[in-house]
Amino acid sequence: MEMNATSGGAEGQRKIYHQKPENKDEERAQHSEDEQEKCKEKMGKKTLADVIQEMKTFLWNSEKKECMGRTAQSWGLILFFYLILYTFLAGMFSFCMYGLLLALSPYTPTYRDRVSPPGVMIRPYLHGFNIAFSVSEPSTWMPYVNSMHDFLQAYDDNIQEEKNIECPAGQYFVQDGVESEEKKACQFKRSQLQNCSGIEDPMFGYSKGQPCILLKMNRIIGYRPGYGTPVSVNCAIQKGDESALKSVDFYPGNGTFDLMYYPYYGKLTHVNYTSPLVALHFTDVKKNDFVPIQCRLNGEGIVNDVTNDRFLGRITFTLSIRM
Amino acid sequence: MKKEMDVDDHQLSVEDLELKYQTNVNKGMNSTVAGEILLRDGPNELKPPKGTPEYVKFARQLAGGLQCLMWVAAAICLIAFGIQCGQGDLTSADNLYLAIALIAVVVVTGCFGYYQEFKSTNIIASFKNLVPQQATVIRDGDKFQINANQLVVGDLVEIKGGDRVPADIRIISAQGCKVDNSSLTGESEPQTRAPECTHESPLETRNIAFFSTMCLEGTATGIIVNTGDRTIIGRIASLASGVENEKTPIAIEIEHFVDIIAGLAIFFGGTFFVVAMVIGYPFLKAMVFFMAIVVAYVPEGLLATVTVCLSLTAKRLARKNCVVKNLEAVETLGSTSVICSDKTGTLTQNRMTVSHLWFDNQIHTADTTEDQSGQSFDQSSETWRALCKIVSLCNRAFFKSGQDNMPVPKRIVIGDASETALLKFSEITLGNVMEYRERYKKACEIPFNSTNKFQLSIHELEDPRDPRYLLVMKGAPERILERCATIMIKGQELPLDEQWKEAFQTAYMDLGGLGERVLGFCHLYLDPGQFPRGFSFDTEEMNFPTSGLCFAGLISMIDPPRATVPDAVMKCRTAGIRVIMVTGDHPITAKAIAASVGIISEGSETVEDIAARMRIPVEQVNKWEARACVVNGGQLKDMETEELVEILKMHPEMVFARTSPQQKLIIVESCQKLGAIVAVTGDGVNDSPALKKADIGVAMGIAGSDAAKNAADMILLDDNFASIVTGVEQGRLIFDNLKKSIAYTLTKNIPELTPYLIYITVSVPLPLGCITILFIELCTDIFPSVSLAYEKAESDIMHLKPRNPRRDRLVNEALAVYSYFQIGAIQSFAGFTDYFTAMAQEGWFPLLCVGLRAQWENDHLQDLQDSYGQEWTFGQRLYQEYTCYTVFFISIEMCQISDVLIRKTRRLSVFQQGFFRNKILVIAIVFQLCLGCFLCYCPGMPNIFNFMPIRFQWWLVPLPYGILIFVYDEIRKLGVRRHPGSWWDKELYY
């Protein structure tokens, strides 16, 4: 009986499916192994004791001398590997930092776009921008007075005369030359602040309810404020009753930062540089009330109306003077 | 649940039935009683399986492990904001923004996941459109047509050919009634229904017709014994819904890894919370640190990435006609190690086809392919012509009209399965059969019945001058042979002696052994003298000879395997997947089909085969020698589960025959006990419990019943078993690629985390903000990580064994360690290098930065001096900090570009894999760069999302580190390739 095996279907291909006998045991072995594991898993309705035991074996398997699944040698190798890797990475990082510092000039920052235009700050500065005191209680305003004195120490006339030179007013004090050369600084004497110098009135008017507040512009290397015209300061009530602030005196001059104090050359070479100040003497402010005051710098290139930064070219503080 | 059905109605007498169901076999029920019972039992329909309510599904999406952590983080933010408000500090709403951002992230990813799930459930909903069915019922002695769902137990109903059986019916009377039980039992042959009880099992007995099976021909009357969910089908369906859904392997993997991540996040957060408290930060600040560390460490975009990757593969599969209902099932096929396949309709074509012929003492093979592409046999013999004539004439089946242009195999035929097979066979070999039959006018006919076991017809001859009549007959081969006196060999009529009878027996056994259904054919030219033209033949009297005929040949039929199946089975084998056949059909047929598709490979023997070959009793055979094994349902019933597991281990090639739905379930469970990931393919209702129980159930889209489709996770729209192989391949590929995606995603968590650690411990100004981290996680890095899903396989994944679900984890130790402590560490260094560069170039030298935090963050300090003595306002410092965020962000992005390139492969060199072959990945990198540029340079970004325009050179600072990552990984891969099994391979291959 012979098969007329001419169909195109399964018959012809069947031979291919024959598997070599070696595969058999392999297939079977795999199953038994799997099952053992499965059994273990099945039994694994773990009690707490089992879990602790398991943790212990994980931490130290005395049978295989393994700690956390690795033998001492294995730990040694892997830690050594990571030591090399991290040493290399640290080396690469240090090299990058070294290269970076080499490339940086110690005198002039690479970029100054984030720090300019200048911000404004006041003194006294204790905790915030709320200057509140009671005239009749010296303990409430003494901290302000002390802060002012501390701040103005560097502006003492004799110190200024000793360290700094007198410069021609009304023009920038440009010092070209070698970058690393020490730069001269112009004198800004405390006495220039007149009523707010603390010389005649050591209480800076706080005892009379007419406080002095010093205003300074943030230092920026190479910055020339006002482009030739000095930057001036004006103050006003920020919101509300305009009559709360009747009069403010500005010293020196009309409340301007003289050009001769600019540009600034950095703390490395411009060692004795003292920021010029404008003193605001609030001679008639509404008492027993919060008076929000905003002082602005005015000048070309000064930005004082950005909503995101309330200290850029302006400053807001409140005066709250109790009699 | 897994008990067999306990129905005894088939064994009761008609009188007992009448009593039991208060009915009458002639008049039917009283309609009022029927109404009461309807109220009691409910309508006769299957209750749809209970779905999870939509809001629960949505809530589940919002309450995963990582999501919970995010909720906690958001809560901390809100609390911190609340406390700030309480203290009257209204300067910064950062915490509020962050809380909103976190909640938005959770909700948006939740919505995304829900949408994906919703989309896949929609596919199922479309299967539920059932047309209301009508049934003929007799009540109070009158016939009514009513909706089938109004039927109650005890109703007397009539069914006829073409009807769907409206409920489980005990047959009272029947005329030639046949039903198709294939959806229930898997048998493709029609089953006779008659009033006699023939078997004690309700499934096997002839006097019960089952709900939802088709009545093919004849008529029957019966009493309804079960309705709705209490029918056999209903019980199987509820059996399926009772089987809880197994978690998919990928779900287990993801859960496993989410647990680890969440654990580590809390551990890191907790540690630094304590550290911060010890260093002396206030409690609130420490809580915010905790929150920030959690945000930095948790890969927020990961679940979305995984979902997108899976749905991409699902789409790819859908193009290849595999519809995935449950996204996670995409991967399951890849890890499948056992496929339990139903036979009928899955492996086979589910239509009887002539496969072999025996004439001229030779077995000829017919073409059984679906598209008739196979070769045909030698048709030159005279005997063939005679046989062909008998086949064409002695056949009552006919084509439905109007199908002349359709290919023959696809035409619809009215008639039973074997007649259909014969009709199609003769139509293909002979040509127009209908016309042929007209030429040989039929004079009389006796249809097949179970007592005669033959079918006979008498025809006039084509040639009008030839006055003879031709008697043709077909039937059970042994009965036909009994009636024959001669046999036709090469056109010659030879006497049928012992030698020919033996030849017949051998051929019959051979064909029967192939599991085929064999029919014998014979004919006789009647003597024109005795039977002149116009003779009146009487079928009752049989006034014509029915013995002494001439035997023409045997034809055997089988439901042939689909052409693509053997190849697919072989591919499964090379991929290390075991294919087991589980069918309701007879063992012999099952074994034959198993052998022809390669489930039983050539040369494999069963215990019985070995016994026969060695001529020893079955008990003496060493069972381990037998690779193959055929188990039938009867044996399975008496088997303990352990025994079954034992057998499954012993024989790699298994066929289960005559199995009930419960047994299929048990087989699947036993395979799962062996640690296998089991795929089940099937189409019938009887498969549905197993489909549900399986790790992945695959239903047939065309032949599949609704119950099967409902229970399945995947549907093969073209019913092509070969699509499973595609599924396996895609599943394995996506597993590999998910590994790559996750490795890519995890890496950047370290450079996101380290800024906080350094910030807390060394007190530098914060290098990277939470919002920026969220941008990396959810914006710039999503596309590249998804693009890794398009990566081609590195090796021939179809020649590897399936992964061991307990050993080959998605995220293993090596992957995490390599990503975190090596690549992640390099990225951190890159970030800090860039950070210090940006700070130094703006005037803040690295050493000044250390310990600067308190002053830096003091928002009253408006003149903080930098290394050059310049004074900065708080706002200026804040913008500088944002610049640092951006610079750090760009560093991570640059390194991530390098990272995505190295993640293309785990073992091969990227050069071997090809840089630009994955176009999507290239686009993703370009997209990432563009997005980075947009975030940096779009006006308005600084105040909305804390991105600052940064200088060009800060893009370049991280480049050396990016190159380092690339070179280092190439070295790693080289070592892994060159020294498999070495220390390097073990520690560094993930």
Side-chain angles (χ1 to χ4, degrees):
Chain A
M1 188 79 43
E2 66 176 27
M3 293 283 266
N4 202 357
T6 46
S7 87
E11 307 286 320
Q13 298 183 356
R14 250 163 66 179
K15 287 176 199 75
I16 312 167
Y17 311 133
H18 177 63
Q19 295 210 322
K20 292 179 197 101
E22 299 96 279
N23 292 353
K24 289 185 197 174
D25 295 329
E26 202 186 308
E27 265 174 52
R28 285 168 184 153
Q30 188 197 328
H31 290 312
S32 59
E33 200 184 318
D34 280 353
E35 204 199 9
Q36 278 173 1
E37 274 181 39
K38 185 84 186 177
C39 281
K40 274 187 215 160
E41 226 169 72
K42 277 253 154 143
M43 284 187 278
K45 289 278 165 267
K46 293 175 196 165
T47 61
L48 188 67
D50 284 341
V51 174
I52 293 171
Q53 187 55 43
E54 236 172 58
M55 282 301 290
K56 272 185 188 167
T57 353
F58 175 68
L59 287 175
W60 175 247
N61 184 343
S62 51
E63 222 172 282
K64 296 180 186 164
K65 296 205 177 306
E66 285 175 353
C67 175
M68 298 172 82
R70 284 176 185 276
T71 60
Q73 197 204 353
S74 167
W75 271 115
L77 268 172
I78 197 77
L79 289 179
F80 180 66
F81 174 79
Y82 275 100
L83 183 71
I84 294 178
L85 181 73
Y86 284 135
T87 312
F88 175 77
L89 283 176
M92 187 165 169
F93 180 70
S94 313
F95 177 78
C96 288
M97 286 296 107
Y98 178 72
L100 170 69
L101 291 179
L102 273 190
L104 288 174
S105 152
Y107 309 109
T108 322
T110 319
Y111 304 110
R112 276 160 283 182
D113 51 347
R114 290 264 166 271
V115 73
S116 57
V120 178
M121 191 59 180
I122 52 163
R123 290 293 185 274
Y125 168 70
L126 289 180
H127 307 291
F129 302 100
N130 196 5
I131 293 164
F133 61 93
S134 173
V135 176
S136 52
E137 295 169 54
S139 64
T140 54
W141 44 260
M142 269 320 278
Y144 294 109
V145 173
N146 290 339
S147 159
M148 297 277 275
H149 276 299
D150 286 347
F151 179 72
L152 284 176
Q153 233 162 33
Y155 294 87
D156 278 350
D157 289 15
N158 45 354
I159 295 181
Q160 287 289 328
E161 278 162 15
E162 182 189 321
K163 289 184 176 171
N164 295 343
I165 57 162
E166 268 189 74
C167 312
Q171 66 186 62
Y172 293 118
F173 181 42
V174 180
Q175 304 172 63
D176 288 327
V178 188
E179 205 183 20
S180 57
E181 201 174 72
E182 192 164 315
K183 301 287 189 297
K184 304 252 178 348
C186 298
Q187 291 177 0
F188 187 93
K189 289 183 194 162
R190 190 174 174 159
S191 54
Q192 285 169 259
L193 298 177
Q194 299 166 25
N195 285 345
C196 285
S197 66
I199 300 169
E200 286 145 37
D201 177 10
M203 297 304 146
F204 298 100
Y206 282 81
S207 56
K208 290 179 245 164
Q210 297 175 331
C212 279
I213 285 174
L214 302 176
L215 198 110
K216 74 182 183 64
M217 192 167 31
N218 280 353
R219 301 178 191 177
I220 296 163
I221 290 177
Y223 184 68
R224 299 176 187 197
Y227 301 131
T229 337
V231 172
S232 64
V233 179
N234 77 319
C235 289
I237 295 290
Q238 193 197 13
K239 247 183 257 165
D241 187 10
E242 298 282 341
S243 64
L245 182 64
K246 294 222 175 67
S247 81
V248 190
D249 293 340
F250 296 92
Y251 318 107
N254 301 318
T256 54
F257 294 97
D258 197 285
L259 296 182
M260 65 179 169
Y261 301 105
Y262 302 97
Y264 174 57
Y265 285 102
K267 72 175 178 187
L268 204 59
T269 50
H270 223 160
V271 187
N272 294 319
Y273 180 80
T274 38
S275 297
L277 304 170
V278 167
L280 319 169
H281 197 191
F282 294 95
T283 46
D284 191 358
V285 182
K286 192 178 178 194
K287 306 293 187 308
N288 299 326
D289 199 1
F290 282 97
V291 182
I293 295 165
Q294 187 172 63
C295 294
R296 290 167 182 265
L297 300 184
N298 298 301
E300 217 174 318
I302 297 288
V303 175
N304 58 14
D305 53 358
V306 203
T307 42
N308 292 309
D309 192 345
R310 289 177 296 117
F311 297 91
L312 208 62
R314 59 178 162 157
I315 191 160
T316 312
F317 53 89
T318 55
L319 282 179
S320 148
I321 306 165
R322 275 166 286 130
M323 285 312 288
Chain B
M1 219 36 180
K2 282 157 207 157
K3 266 190 311 172
E4 295 292 331
M5 308 297 173
D6 49 346
V7 175
D8 61 350
D9 289 325
H10 56 291
Q11 284 161 323
L12 296 179
S13 68
V14 175
E15 289 72 32
D16 287 342
L17 272 177
E18 280 188 315
L19 217 62
K20 184 174 173 186
Y21 293 116
Q22 307 170 310
T23 184
N24 184 296
V25 286
N26 301 317
K27 288 184 173 172
M29 289 189 97
N30 185 308
S31 36
T32 41
V33 178
E36 281 164 23
I37 297 178
L38 183 66
L39 279 178
R40 185 192 72 194
D41 290 351
N44 172 34
E45 56 197 4
L46 294 183
K47 274 199 206 82
K50 244 189 237 150
T52 329
E54 296 299 308
Y55 65 91
V56 173
K57 283 187 199 165
F58 187 65
R60 242 181 241 157
Q61 295 284 349
L62 296 181
L66 293 184
Q67 283 88 338
C68 284
L69 264 184
M70 306 272 279
W71 284 118
V72 172
I76 291 175
C77 285
L78 283 179
I79 292 169
F81 179 70
I83 292 177
Q84 272 183 348
C85 281
Q87 290 168 348
D89 176 7
L90 290 168
T91 44
S92 154
D94 278 1
N95 281 327
L96 180 65
Y97 291 148
L98 194 58
I100 292 170
L102 287 174
I103 292 171
V105 165
V106 176
V107 172
V108 168
T109 46
C111 287
F112 181 70
Y114 175 75
Y115 170 69
Q116 290 291 348
E117 196 181 300
F118 177 77
K119 242 180 19 184
S120 48
T121 30
N122 253 2
I123 303 172
I124 315 161
S126 64
F127 293 133
K128 286 186 182 158
N129 305 323
L130 292 176
V131 186
Q133 190 195 337
Q134 295 284 311
T136 313
V137 62
I138 301 169
R139 281 184 187 167
D140 304 325
D142 291 323
K143 273 191 197 179
F144 296 101
Q145 283 279 335
I146 62 170
N147 268 350
N149 61 6
Q150 298 299 310
L151 293 176
V152 295
V153 165
D155 259 335
L156 189 65
V157 290
E158 280 184 359
I159 52 171
K160 57 181 189 303
D163 283 354
R164 198 170 273 275
V165 179
D168 281 1
I169 292 171
R170 158 72 199 264
I171 306 289
I172 304 292
S173 64
Q175 289 84 40
C177 176
K178 280 186 176 179
V179 291
D180 173 12
N181 273 358
S182 65
S183 78
L184 194 60
T185 62
E187 277 170 303
S188 37
E189 272 180 51
Q191 310 283 305
T192 312
R193 293 290 100 158
E196 305 86 34
C197 172
T198 54
H199 200 283
E200 58 185 24
S201 157
L203 283 172
E204 301 275 340
T205 186
R206 277 195 184 163
N207 61 353
I208 292 201
F210 298 107
F211 177 46
S212 95
T213 57
M214 285 295 287
C215 176
L216 295 174
E217 55 184 275
T219 57
T221 322
I223 291 175
I224 294 179
V225 292
N226 279 315
T227 56
D229 287 333
R230 289 166 300 281
T231 57
I232 301 287
I233 290 274
R235 281 189 235 182
I236 294 173
S238 65
L239 183 63
S241 63
V243 176
E244 78 277 28
N245 244 330
E246 297 282 304
K247 264 189 186 153
T248 57
I250 194 81
I252 294 170
E253 287 299 323
I254 290 171
E255 227 165 68
H256 162 86
F257 136 87
V258 162
D259 284 351
I260 293 177
I261 294 280
L264 281 175
I266 292 174
F267 171 76
F268 274 121
T271 311
F272 278 87
F273 175 74
V274 172
V275 167
M277 289 298 277
V278 168
I279 290 177
Y281 287 99
F283 177 77
L284 185 67
K285 198 84 182 158
M287 281 306 278
V288 171
F289 288 160
F290 172 83
M291 178 277 308
I293 284 171
V294 167
V295 170
Y297 188 74
V298 169
E300 287 86 359
L302 190 83
L303 293 183
T305 307
V306 170
T307 313
V308 173
C309 287
L310 288 177
S311 56
L312 280 175
T313 308
K315 250 187 207 158
R316 214 176 297 164
L317 281 176
R319 272 203 297 274
K320 288 174 179 162
N321 290 321
C322 299
V323 174
V324 179
K325 278 172 35 182
N326 173 5
L327 267 191
E328 286 159 353
V330 166
E331 190 278 331
T332 315
L333 265 185
S335 38
T336 295
S337 50
V338 171
I339 297 177
C340 289
S341 178
D342 179 43
K343 178 182 78 75
T344 316
T346 310
L347 298 174
T348 66
Q349 303 169 11
N350 198 13
R351 58 183 182 91
M352 285 306 240
T353 307
V354 171
S355 60
H356 292 98
L357 304 97
W358 180 74
F359 59 84
D360 289 350
N361 199 15
Q362 260 192 351
I363 292 180
H364 301 262
T365 307
D367 179 10
T368 54
T369 53
E370 285 117 295
D371 52 357
Q372 295 302 316
S373 57
Q375 284 173 303
S376 197
F377 53 92
D378 175 27
Q379 296 180 351
S380 58
S381 163
E382 273 298 315
T383 321
W384 156 244
R385 233 169 281 161
L387 182 60
C388 189
K389 198 177 279 175
I390 306 171
V391 170
S392 309
L393 296 180
C394 187
N395 192 332
R396 295 182 354 130
F398 57 91
F399 290 110
K400 240 182 177 176
S401 54
Q403 308 186 81
D404 293 339
N405 299 324
M406 275 170 62
V408 178
K410 290 216 175 115
R411 288 190 206 167
I412 297 166
V413 176
I414 315 280
D416 80 9
S418 30
E419 293 223 305
T420 306
L422 290 168
L423 174 65
K424 286 185 175 174
F425 173 68
S426 46
E427 178 81 12
I428 288 162
T429 48
L430 197 73
N432 196 336
V433 176
M434 295 296 132
E435 195 191 281
Y436 188 79
R437 280 194 201 157
E438 270 165 35
R439 281 185 272 151
Y440 292 83
K441 252 182 96 188
K442 196 186 281 178
C444 100
E445 175 180 57
I446 302 176
F448 187 87
N449 70 46
S450 46
T451 36
N452 296 342
K453 296 213 182 252
F454 67 76
Q455 178 182 346
L456 172 154
S457 59
I458 298 171
H459 301 263
E460 288 172 13
L461 287 187
E462 181 183 19
D463 185 356
R465 285 162 299 176
D466 192 341
R468 290 183 300 175
Y469 275 102
L470 174 64
L471 182 150
V472 288
M473 185 195 252
K474 77 167 183 225
E478 62 276 8
R479 293 292 178 88
I480 297 292
L481 195 74
E482 278 168 18
R483 296 173 187 273
C484 289
T486 56
I487 182 166
M488 183 176 277
I489 300 293
K490 302 220 159 55
Q492 305 294 313
E493 278 191 38
L494 303 181
L496 187 63
D497 56 16
E498 281 309 309
Q499 186 202 337
W500 287 121
K501 277 189 181 164
E502 191 155 318
F504 161 86
Q505 278 304 333
T506 329
Y508 182 28
M509 294 302 286
D510 275 0
L511 294 175
L514 291 173
E516 302 182 356
R517 181 186 212 192
V518 190
L519 288 176
F521 294 82
C522 62
H523 72 162
L524 182 70
Y525 287 94
L526 298 179
D527 178 14
Q530 215 177 332
F531 304 99
R533 275 279 158 105
F535 182 86
S536 116
F537 294 98
D538 185 347
T539 53
E540 293 296 313
E541 301 268 308
M542 299 252 231
N543 55 358
F544 44 86
T546 55
S547 60
L549 313 175
C550 172
F551 188 84
L554 295 172
I555 291 183
S556 68
M557 282 156 291
I558 198 165
D559 177 14
R562 293 167 185 276
T564 48
V565 169
D567 201 37
V569 170
M570 188 187 71
K571 277 187 181 153
C572 286
R573 289 217 163 175
T574 47
I577 300 169
R578 191 174 169 192
V579 185
I580 293 177
M581 182 192 278
V582 182
T583 176
D585 214 341
H586 295 278
I588 302 171
T589 322
K591 191 182 165 193
I593 294 290
S596 69
V597 298
I599 287 177
I600 294 180
S601 51
E602 198 173 274
S604 293
E605 289 178 306
T606 61
V607 173
E608 290 77 17
D609 290 336
I610 296 177
R613 175 166 56 85
M614 297 172 63
R615 291 171 206 282
I616 51 170
V618 172
E619 294 77 36
Q620 288 177 17
V621 177
N622 176 5
K623 285 187 178 159
W624 288 92
E625 272 177 34
R627 274 183 68 75
C629 183
V630 180
V631 179
N632 77 40
Q635 293 167 275
L636 208 55
K637 216 177 198 170
D638 307 326
M639 242 181 243
E640 292 297 317
T641 329
E642 290 75 33
E643 233 175 307
L644 177 60
V645 170
E646 196 60 30
I647 287 180
L648 279 167
K649 267 197 276 180
M650 202 165 2
H651 310 285
E653 297 171 358
M654 295 285 309
V655 171
F656 292 93
R658 302 289 305 156
T659 47
S660 67
Q662 286 91 341
Q663 286 171 337
K664 289 191 178 191
L665 197 58
I666 291 166
I667 293 166
V668 171
E669 272 178 343
S670 302
C671 290
Q672 284 172 335
K673 269 200 192 116
L674 279 171
I677 304 255
V678 184
V680 170
T681 65
D683 58 344
V685 179
N686 58 333
D687 299 316
S688 58
L691 285 171
K692 194 89 180 269
K693 178 72 194 168
D695 295 290
I696 176 168
V698 184
M700 298 295 148
I702 303 170
S705 56
D706 289 351
K709 284 177 190 168
N710 266 327
D713 303 299
M714 189 183 255
I715 295 164
L716 302 181
L717 289 183
D718 56 356
D719 285 17
N720 190 347
F721 186 78
S723 307
I724 289 178
V725 179
T726 320
V728 170
E729 194 172 350
Q730 292 296 334
R732 290 184 176 187
L733 185 61
I734 197 63
F735 186 81
D736 276 6
N737 286 345
L738 271 184
K739 225 174 180 168
K740 295 171 182 175
S741 279
I742 290 175
Y744 171 80
T745 310
L746 289 188
T747 311
K748 61 175 178 286
N749 285 325
I750 289 302
E752 286 166 5
L753 186 64
T754 42
Y756 272 95
L757 307 191
I758 300 294
Y759 168 70
I760 295 171
T761 52
V762 188
S763 290
V764 295
L766 184 61
L768 188 64
C770 281
I771 301 278
T772 323
I773 288 174
L774 290 180
F775 264 97
I776 300 175
E777 290 284 352
L778 298 167
C779 193
T780 53
D781 274 15
I782 288 277
F783 192 13
S785 63
V786 167
S787 75
L788 282 169
Y790 289 93
E791 205 53 52
K792 297 270 180 303
E794 279 177 68
S795 56
D796 198 343
I797 39 177
M798 289 308 277
H799 284 104
L800 302 174
K801 278 204 177 136
R803 75 184 174 96
N804 182 325
R806 272 180 302 284
R807 236 172 293 141
D808 310 332
R809 313 302 306 246
L810 183 64
V811 177
N812 52 23
E813 195 197 341
L815 183 146
V817 165
Y818 181 68
S819 301
Y820 281 159
F821 298 125
Q822 300 184 24
I823 304 300
I826 299 176
Q827 294 195 352
S828 306
F829 275 105
F832 275 103
T833 308
D834 214 1
Y835 164 74
F836 282 124
T837 307
M839 282 298 268
Q841 292 200 326
E842 293 287 359
W844 304 87
F845 288 2
L847 282 179
L848 181 71
C849 293
V850 174
L852 189 64
R853 191 192 66 83
Q855 288 175 296
W856 182 275
E857 289 180 354
N858 181 350
D859 58 359
H860 291 321
L861 195 55
Q862 300 296 340
D863 53 354
L864 184 64
Q865 285 204 1
D866 66 11
S867 302
Y868 292 96
Q870 304 184 98
E871 292 167 328
W872 295 59
T873 66
F874 178 75
Q876 288 167 337
R877 295 198 301 271
L878 202 60
Y879 280 124
Q880 174 60 19
E881 191 172 311
Y882 292 163
T883 310
C884 292
Y885 293 176
T886 314
V887 157
F888 214 103
F889 162 81
I890 290 299
S891 303
I892 294 179
E893 287 315 306
M894 298 302 278
C895 289
Q896 282 293 81
I897 289 175
S898 182
D899 195 23
V900 76
L901 286 175
I902 66 167
R903 301 297 183 184
K904 281 165 73 79
T905 58
R906 292 187 293 145
R907 181 181 285 275
L908 291 185
S909 162
V910 178
F911 297 99
Q912 283 168 307
Q913 182 84 348
F915 263 106
F916 303 108
R917 201 171 299 163
N918 185 349
K919 299 270 185 320
I920 308 285
L921 190 136
V922 178
I923 296 171
I925 292 175
V926 173
F927 174 76
Q928 189 181 13
L929 280 172
C930 294
L931 206 57
C933 287
F934 174 77
L935 289 174
C936 288
Y937 300 114
C938 178
M941 277 292 171
N943 302 321
I944 309 171
F945 295 123
N946 309 353
F947 282 94
M948 292 291 287
I950 61 165
R951 293 175 194 287
F952 179 66
Q953 71 264 32
W954 295 334
W955 286 77
L956 304 180
V957 174
L959 269 189
Y961 290 94
I963 294 166
L964 175 70
I965 289 174
F966 187 79
V967 172
Y968 175 62
D969 195 62
E970 280 296 313
I971 294 172
R972 178 191 74 87
K973 288 170 189 161
L974 187 71
V976 168
R977 285 199 305 276
R978 285 282 167 83
H979 306 288
S982 64
W983 177 86
W984 185 269
D985 184 21
K986 272 185 220 142
E987 295 289 352
L988 295 178
Y989 180 64
Y990 58 90

